[in-house]
Amino acid sequence: GAGVSQSPSNKVTEKGKDVELRCDPISGHTALYWYRQRLGQGLEFLIYFQGNSAPDKSGLPSDRFSAERTGESVSTLTIQRTQQEDSAVYLCASSPTSGISYEQYFGPGTRLTVT
Amino acid sequence: AQSVAQPEDQVNVAEGNPLTVKCTYSVSGNPYLFWYVQYPNRGLQFLLKYITGDNLVKGSYGFEAEFNKSQTSFHLKKPSALVSDSALYFCAVRPPSGGSYIPTFGRGTSLIVHP
């Protein structure tokens, strides 16, 4: 079946511009996560959605970052007034239920470059 | 708070030799443990998990991992390495029920298998 998809695969933007990244989770997966991976670094948690519950935004690094999810489908991560330090790969992952034993399924990521 | 340590940034092994990628964790209660692999320019891919039961867990591509509660470790192993195993490997931990649904990832270990 289809996996997690993300778009665009690559995004180059000028400093100060806003960007929107999209994630399509696997159908039926209620949990959705966003991570940031800087070059040569591990995964940095950004935000977690679970069904219709309020999202866990504890990982968002600043108020320039926001995310939305429509029900249990598509999610968008928005970065306003981008800075060079925002350059990274942004990964989205989904899980089938809220059961914490379930593994995550990752998308291929969006590589963001801020010039 | 939960944490994961991958003490080696890089592991080098000759093709055909056994490999071990180390992971230790800290969490309250019994953990749920995961290994993921990331090939170049790809998202993370699930390898295996420990939830309960047999301490030796077998996963994809001939990998296995052993849960050791007394040493709080979950090392990834493979009896005979392949050049195609060269990738970035991440260990992750989630606490059991009542804890956060957000897993904590290690910083990753780069595995290089030499022909």
Side-chain angles (χ1 to χ4, degrees), chain A residues 26-84:
Chain A
I26 294 172
S27 178
H29 282 196
T30 59
L32 187 146
Y33 306 76
W34 282 99
Y35 295 90
R36 179 168 68 180
Q37 185 177 28
R38 290 195 169 110
L39 186 63
Q41 302 294 312
L43 273 67
E44 178 184 1
F45 165 74
L46 296 177
I47 189 168
Y48 163 66
F49 295 91
Q50 172 52 50
N52 294 317
S53 301
D56 183 331
K57 305 179 181 180
S58 60
L60 294 178
S62 77
D63 58 7
R64 296 187 296 106
F65 288 72
S66 62
E68 294 183 347
R69 187 182 186 193
T70 306
E72 296 181 354
S73 61
V74 172
S75 176
T76 56
L77 176 69
T78 300
I79 308 174
Q80 296 178 310
R81 306 180 301 282
T82 52
Q83 304 295 314
Q84 288 187 330

Coordinates of all heavy atoms in Angstrom, one line a residue, chain A residues 26-84:
Chain A
I26 N -0.3 7.6 6.2 CA -0.9 6.3 5.7 C -2.4 6.4 6.1 O -2.7 6.7 7.3 CB -0.2 5.1 6.3 CG1 1.2 5.0 5.7 CG2 -1.0 3.8 6.0 CD1 2.1 4.0 6.3
S27 N -3.3 6.0 5.2 CA -4.7 6.0 5.5 C -5.0 5.2 6.7 O -4.6 4.0 6.9 CB -5.5 5.5 4.3 OG -6.8 5.5 4.6
G28 N -5.8 5.8 7.6 CA -6.2 5.1 8.9 C -5.2 5.3 10.0 O -5.6 4.9 11.2
H29 N -4.1 5.9 9.8 CA -3.2 6.2 10.9 C -3.7 7.4 11.6 O -3.8 8.5 11.0 CB -1.8 6.4 10.4 CG -1.0 5.2 10.0 ND1 0.3 5.1 9.8 CD2 -1.5 3.9 9.9 CE1 0.7 3.9 9.6 NE2 -0.4 3.1 9.6
T30 N -3.9 7.3 12.9 CA -4.4 8.4 13.7 C -3.3 9.3 14.3 O -3.6 10.4 14.6 CB -5.3 7.9 14.9 OG1 -4.4 7.0 15.7 CG2 -6.4 7.0 14.4
A31 N -2.1 8.8 14.4 CA -1.1 9.6 15.0 C -0.1 10.1 13.9 O 0.2 9.4 13.0 CB -0.3 8.7 16.0
L32 N 0.3 11.3 14.1 CA 1.2 12.0 13.1 C 2.2 12.8 13.8 O 1.8 13.5 14.7 CB 0.4 12.8 12.1 CG 1.1 13.4 10.9 CD1 0.2 13.5 9.7 CD2 1.7 14.7 11.2
Y33 N 3.4 12.7 13.4 CA 4.6 13.4 14.0 C 5.3 14.2 13.0 O 5.5 13.7 11.8 CB 5.5 12.4 14.6 CG 5.0 11.4 15.6 CD1 4.2 10.3 15.2 CD2 5.2 11.5 17.0 CE1 3.7 9.4 16.1 CE2 4.7 10.6 17.9 CZ 3.9 9.6 17.4 OH 3.5 8.6 18.3
W34 N 5.9 15.3 13.4 CA 6.8 16.1 12.6 C 8.2 16.1 13.3 O 8.2 16.3 14.6 CB 6.4 17.5 12.3 CG 5.3 17.7 11.3 CD1 4.0 17.8 11.4 CD2 5.6 17.8 9.9 NE1 3.3 18.0 10.2 CE2 4.3 17.9 9.2 CE3 6.7 17.7 9.1 CZ2 4.2 18.1 7.9 CZ3 6.5 17.9 7.7 CH2 5.3 18.0 7.1
Y35 N 9.2 15.9 12.6 CA 10.6 16.0 13.1 C 11.4 16.9 12.2 O 11.2 17.0 11.0 CB 11.3 14.6 13.2 CG 10.6 13.6 14.1 CD1 9.6 12.7 13.7 CD2 11.0 13.5 15.4 CE1 9.0 11.8 14.5 CE2 10.5 12.6 16.3 CZ 9.5 11.7 15.8 OH 8.9 10.8 16.7
R36 N 12.5 17.4 12.8 CA 13.5 18.1 12.1 C 14.8 17.4 12.2 O 15.2 16.9 13.3 CB 13.7 19.5 12.6 CG 14.7 20.4 11.9 CD 14.6 21.8 12.2 NE 14.9 22.1 13.6 CZ 14.9 23.4 14.1 NH1 14.6 24.4 13.3 NH2 15.3 23.6 15.3
Q37 N 15.5 17.2 11.1 CA 16.9 16.6 11.1 C 17.9 17.5 10.4 O 17.9 17.6 9.2 CB 16.8 15.2 10.4 CG 18.1 14.4 10.5 CD 18.0 13.0 9.9 OE1 17.2 12.8 8.9 NE2 18.8 12.1 10.4
R38 N 18.7 18.1 11.2 CA 19.8 18.9 10.7 C 20.9 18.0 10.2 O 21.0 16.9 10.7 CB 20.3 19.9 11.7 CG 19.3 21.0 12.0 CD 19.9 22.1 12.8 NE 19.1 23.3 12.9 CZ 18.6 23.7 14.0 NH1 18.8 23.1 15.1 NH2 17.8 24.8 14.0
L39 N 21.7 18.5 9.3 CA 22.8 17.7 8.7 C 23.6 17.1 9.7 O 24.2 17.8 10.6 CB 23.6 18.6 7.8 CG 24.7 17.9 6.9 CD1 24.0 17.0 6.0 CD2 25.5 19.0 6.2
G40 N 23.8 15.8 9.7 CA 24.6 15.1 10.6 C 24.1 14.9 12.0 O 24.8 14.5 12.9
Q41 N 22.8 15.3 12.2 CA 22.3 15.3 13.5 C 21.1 14.2 13.6 O 20.7 13.6 12.6 CB 21.7 16.6 13.9 CG 22.7 17.8 13.9 CD 23.7 17.6 14.9 OE1 23.4 17.4 16.1 NE2 25.0 17.8 14.5
G42 N 20.7 14.0 14.8 CA 19.6 13.1 15.1 C 18.3 13.8 14.8 O 18.2 14.8 14.2
L43 N 17.2 13.1 15.2 CA 15.8 13.6 15.0 C 15.4 14.6 16.2 O 15.5 14.2 17.3 CB 14.8 12.5 14.9 CG 14.7 11.9 13.5 CD1 15.9 11.2 13.1 CD2 13.5 11.0 13.5
E44 N 14.9 15.7 15.8 CA 14.4 16.7 16.8 C 12.9 16.7 16.6 O 12.3 17.1 15.6 CB 15.0 18.0 16.5 CG 14.5 19.2 17.4 CD 15.1 20.5 16.9 OE1 15.8 20.6 15.9 OE2 14.7 21.5 17.6
F45 N 12.2 16.3 17.7 CA 10.7 16.3 17.7 C 10.2 17.7 17.6 O 10.7 18.6 18.3 CB 10.2 15.6 19.0 CG 8.8 15.9 19.2 CD1 7.8 15.2 18.5 CD2 8.4 16.7 20.2 CE1 6.4 15.4 18.7 CE2 7.0 17.0 20.5 CZ 6.1 16.3 19.7
L46 N 9.2 17.9 16.8 CA 8.5 19.2 16.6 C 7.1 19.2 17.2 O 6.8 20.0 18.1 CB 8.5 19.6 15.2 CG 9.9 19.8 14.5 CD1 9.7 20.2 13.0 CD2 10.6 20.9 15.2
I47 N 6.2 18.3 16.7 CA 4.8 18.4 17.0 C 4.2 17.0 16.8 O 4.7 16.2 15.9 CB 4.1 19.5 16.2 CG1 2.7 19.7 16.8 CG2 4.1 19.2 14.7 CD1 2.0 20.9 16.2
Y48 N 3.2 16.7 17.6 CA 2.5 15.4 17.5 C 1.0 15.6 17.5 O 0.4 16.4 18.3 CB 2.9 14.6 18.8 CG 2.0 13.4 19.1 CD1 1.9 12.3 18.2 CD2 1.3 13.4 20.3 CE1 1.1 11.2 18.6 CE2 0.5 12.3 20.6 CZ 0.4 11.2 19.7 OH -0.3 10.1 20.1
F49 N 0.3 15.0 16.5 CA -1.1 15.0 16.4 C -1.7 13.6 16.7 O -1.1 12.6 16.3 CB -1.6 15.4 15.0 CG -1.2 16.8 14.6 CD1 -0.1 17.0 14.0 CD2 -2.1 17.8 14.9 CE1 0.3 18.3 13.6 CE2 -1.8 19.1 14.5 CZ -0.6 19.3 13.8
Q50 N -2.8 13.5 17.5 CA -3.4 12.2 17.7 C -4.9 12.4 17.6 O -5.6 13.0 18.4 CB -3.1 11.7 19.1 CG -3.9 10.4 19.5 CD -3.8 9.3 18.5 OE1 -2.7 9.0 18.1 NE2 -4.9 8.8 18.1
G51 N -5.4 11.9 16.5 CA -6.9 12.0 16.2 C -7.4 13.5 16.3 O -6.8 14.4 15.7
N52 N -8.4 13.7 17.1 CA -9.0 15.0 17.2 C -8.6 15.7 18.5 O -9.1 16.8 18.9 CB -10.5 14.9 17.2 CG -11.0 14.5 15.9 OD1 -10.6 14.9 14.8 ND2 -12.0 13.6 15.8
S53 N -7.6 15.1 19.2 CA -7.1 15.7 20.4 C -6.2 16.9 20.1 O -5.7 17.0 19.0 CB -6.2 14.7 21.2 OG -7.0 13.5 21.5
A54 N -6.0 17.7 21.1 CA -5.2 18.9 20.9 C -3.7 18.4 20.7 O -3.2 17.5 21.3 CB -5.2 19.8 22.2
P55 N -3.1 19.0 19.7 CA -1.7 18.5 19.4 C -0.7 18.9 20.5 O -0.9 19.8 21.3 CB -1.4 19.3 18.1 CG -2.2 20.5 18.1 CD -3.5 20.1 18.8
D56 N 0.3 18.1 20.6 CA 1.4 18.3 21.5 C 2.5 19.2 20.7 O 3.2 18.6 19.9 CB 2.0 17.0 22.0 CG 3.2 17.2 23.0 OD1 3.8 18.3 22.9 OD2 3.4 16.3 23.8
K57 N 2.5 20.4 21.1 CA 3.4 21.4 20.3 C 4.7 21.6 21.1 O 5.4 22.6 20.8 CB 2.7 22.7 20.2 CG 1.3 22.6 19.4 CD 0.7 24.0 19.3 CE -0.6 23.9 18.7 NZ -1.3 25.3 18.6
S58 N 5.0 20.8 22.0 CA 6.1 21.1 22.9 C 7.5 21.2 22.3 O 8.4 21.7 22.8 CB 6.2 20.0 24.1 OG 6.4 18.7 23.5
G59 N 7.6 20.6 21.1 CA 8.9 20.6 20.4 C 9.1 21.8 19.4 O 10.2 21.9 18.9
L60 N 8.1 22.5 19.2 CA 8.2 23.6 18.2 C 9.3 24.6 18.7 O 9.1 25.1 19.9 CB 6.9 24.3 18.0 CG 5.8 23.5 17.3 CD1 4.5 24.3 17.1 CD2 6.3 23.0 15.9
P61 N 10.3 25.0 17.9 CA 11.4 25.8 18.4 C 11.1 27.3 18.6 O 11.8 27.9 19.4 CB 12.5 25.6 17.4 CG 11.7 25.2 16.1 CD 10.5 24.5 16.6
S62 N 10.1 27.8 17.9 CA 9.7 29.2 18.1 C 8.3 29.4 17.5 O 7.7 28.5 17.0 CB 10.7 30.1 17.3 OG 10.4 30.0 15.9
D63 N 7.8 30.6 17.8 CA 6.4 30.9 17.3 C 6.4 31.1 15.8 O 5.3 31.3 15.2 CB 5.8 32.1 18.0 CG 6.7 33.3 17.9 OD1 7.6 33.3 17.1 OD2 6.3 34.3 18.5
R64 N 7.5 31.0 15.1 CA 7.5 31.0 13.7 C 7.0 29.7 13.1 O 6.7 29.6 11.9 CB 8.9 31.3 13.1 CG 9.4 32.7 13.5 CD 10.7 33.0 12.8 NE 11.8 32.1 13.2 CZ 12.3 31.2 12.4 NH1 11.8 31.0 11.2 NH2 13.3 30.4 12.8
F65 N 7.0 28.7 13.9 CA 6.7 27.3 13.5 C 5.2 27.1 13.9 O 4.9 27.3 15.1 CB 7.6 26.3 14.1 CG 9.0 26.2 13.5 CD1 9.9 27.2 13.8 CD2 9.3 25.2 12.6 CE1 11.2 27.2 13.2 CE2 10.6 25.2 12.1 CZ 11.5 26.2 12.4
S66 N 4.4 26.5 13.0 CA 3.1 26.1 13.3 C 2.7 24.9 12.4 O 3.3 24.7 11.4 CB 2.1 27.2 13.1 OG 2.0 27.6 11.8
A67 N 1.7 24.1 12.9 CA 1.3 23.0 12.1 C -0.2 22.8 12.3 O -0.7 23.1 13.3 CB 2.1 21.7 12.5
E68 N -0.8 22.2 11.3 CA -2.2 21.9 11.3 C -2.4 20.5 10.7 O -1.6 20.0 10.0 CB -3.0 22.9 10.5 CG -3.0 24.3 11.0 CD -3.9 25.2 10.2 OE1 -4.3 24.8 9.1 OE2 -4.2 26.4 10.7
R69 N -3.5 19.9 11.2 CA -3.9 18.6 10.6 C -5.4 18.6 10.5 O -6.1 18.9 11.4 CB -3.4 17.5 11.5 CG -3.7 16.1 10.8 CD -3.3 15.0 11.7 NE -3.4 13.7 10.9 CZ -3.3 12.5 11.5 NH1 -3.1 12.4 12.8 NH2 -3.5 11.4 10.7
T70 N -5.9 18.2 9.4 CA -7.3 18.1 9.1 C -7.8 16.7 9.5 O -7.5 15.7 8.7 CB -7.6 18.4 7.6 OG1 -7.0 19.6 7.3 CG2 -9.1 18.4 7.4
G71 N -8.4 16.6 10.6 CA -8.9 15.2 11.0 C -7.8 14.3 11.2 O -6.8 14.5 11.9
E72 N -7.9 13.2 10.5 CA -6.8 12.2 10.5 C -6.1 12.0 9.2 O -5.7 11.0 8.8 CB -7.4 10.8 11.0 CG -8.0 10.8 12.4 CD -8.5 9.5 12.8 OE1 -8.5 8.6 12.0 OE2 -8.9 9.4 14.0
S73 N -6.1 13.2 8.4 CA -5.5 13.1 7.1 C -4.3 14.1 7.0 O -3.4 14.1 7.9 CB -6.5 13.4 6.1 OG -7.0 14.7 6.2
V74 N -4.3 14.9 6.0 CA -3.1 15.7 5.7 C -2.7 16.6 6.8 O -3.6 17.2 7.5 CB -3.5 16.5 4.4 CG1 -2.4 17.5 4.1 CG2 -3.7 15.5 3.2
S75 N -1.4 16.8 6.9 CA -0.9 17.8 7.8 C 0.0 18.8 7.1 O 0.7 18.4 6.1 CB -0.1 17.2 8.9 OG 0.5 18.1 9.8
T76 N 0.0 20.0 7.5 CA 0.9 21.0 6.9 C 1.8 21.6 8.1 O 1.2 22.0 9.1 CB 0.2 22.1 6.2 OG1 -0.8 22.7 7.0 CG2 -0.5 21.6 4.9
L77 N 3.0 21.8 7.8 CA 4.0 22.5 8.7 C 4.3 23.8 8.1 O 4.8 23.8 6.9 CB 5.2 21.6 9.0 CG 6.3 22.2 9.8 CD1 5.8 22.4 11.3 CD2 7.6 21.4 9.8
T78 N 4.1 24.9 8.8 CA 4.4 26.2 8.2 C 5.5 26.9 9.0 O 5.5 26.8 10.2 CB 3.1 27.1 8.3 OG1 2.1 26.5 7.5 CG2 3.4 28.5 7.7
I79 N 6.5 27.4 8.3 CA 7.5 28.1 8.9 C 7.5 29.6 8.4 O 7.6 29.8 7.1 CB 8.9 27.5 8.6 CG1 8.9 26.0 9.0 CG2 10.0 28.3 9.4 CD1 10.2 25.3 8.6
Q80 N 7.3 30.5 9.2 CA 7.2 31.9 8.8 C 8.5 32.6 9.0 O 9.3 32.2 9.8 CB 6.1 32.6 9.7 CG 4.7 32.1 9.5 CD 3.7 32.8 10.4 OE1 3.9 32.9 11.6 NE2 2.6 33.3 9.9
R81 N 8.8 33.5 8.1 CA 10.0 34.4 8.2 C 11.2 33.5 8.4 O 11.9 33.6 9.3 CB 9.9 35.4 9.3 CG 8.6 36.2 9.3 CD 8.5 37.2 10.4 NE 8.6 36.6 11.8 CZ 7.5 36.0 12.3 NH1 6.4 36.0 11.7 NH2 7.7 35.5 13.5
T82 N 11.4 32.6 7.4 CA 12.5 31.6 7.5 C 13.8 32.2 7.8 O 14.2 33.3 7.3 CB 12.5 30.7 6.3 OG1 12.6 31.6 5.1 CG2 11.3 29.8 6.1
Q83 N 14.6 31.5 8.6 CA 16.0 31.8 8.9 C 16.9 30.8 8.4 O 16.5 29.6 8.1 CB 16.1 32.0 10.4 CG 15.2 33.0 11.0 CD 15.4 34.4 10.6 OE1 16.6 34.9 10.5 NE2 14.4 35.1 10.2
Q84 N 18.2 31.1 8.3 CA 19.1 30.1 7.7 C 19.2 28.9 8.6 O 19.4 27.8 8.1 CB 20.5 30.8 7.5 CG 20.5 31.7 6.3 CD 21.9 32.2 6.0 OE1 22.7 32.3 6.9 NE2 22.1 32.5 4.8

